[in-house]
Every structure is written in structure tokens, then in C-alpha cells.
Amino acid sequence: TVDVQVFNDEQNFVEAKLTNITQASNDRVSPFCEHYNECGGCQLQHLSIEAQRHWKTQNFFTKSKFG
């Protein structure tokens, strides 16, 4: 469970910034990169490697013709 601050509310999408994690997932880990919170280049570092693999597999099959 998280709190967010919406900064862009468009017709087809919403952009928001995470402001607080009230209840972290069991899959949440500390990102290993010191620039994680500023950069945004490695968006899944907060997930365990198993959770990253699951998310990537699900995302691939959901958005591809293979699924």
C-alpha cells in the first residue's frame, strides 16, 4: 500500500510520485544502486530477482503476440 501525489492527470494515463510506502510487499528489497531514487533507469530494482522475472514474463506475454 502506498501514498502518491498525482502531478499529471491525462485522459489516457496518470503520472504520480510515490510519497510514502505504508505497507511494503514481501517482494520488496532495497535497491542496490545509490542513484535509484533519482535516475529512474532501473525501475524494478526494488523487487527481488524472482519478482522481477515474474513481472517481466507476465508483462512480455501480456503485451506481445506470444501470449
Side-chain angles (χ1 to χ4, degrees):
T1 308
V2 298
D3 298 322
V4 298
Q5 179 180 9
V6 174
F7 61 86
N8 190 9
D9 190 356
E10 299 293 329
Q11 182 176 356
N12 296 321
F13 67 93
V14 174
E15 291 180 289
K17 178 178 175 141
L18 175 68
T19 58
N20 185 38
I21 300 170
T22 55
Q23 183 175 354
S25 166
N26 292 334
D27 292 320
R28 188 170 194 85
V29 297
S30 295
F32 58 85
C33 178
E34 65 184 83
H35 305 289
Y36 172 78
N37 290 322
E38 295 83 32
C39 174
C42 304
Q43 297 178 15
L44 299 178
Q45 278 189 19
H46 66 282
L47 293 176
S48 67
I49 191 67
E50 295 83 11
Q52 287 184 37
R53 289 181 182 140
H54 177 75
W55 187 90
K56 290 175 183 180
T57 301
Q58 294 302 311
N59 197 42
F60 175 77
F61 286 113
T62 300
K63 296 184 178 185
S64 73
K65 63 181 179 179
F66 301 107

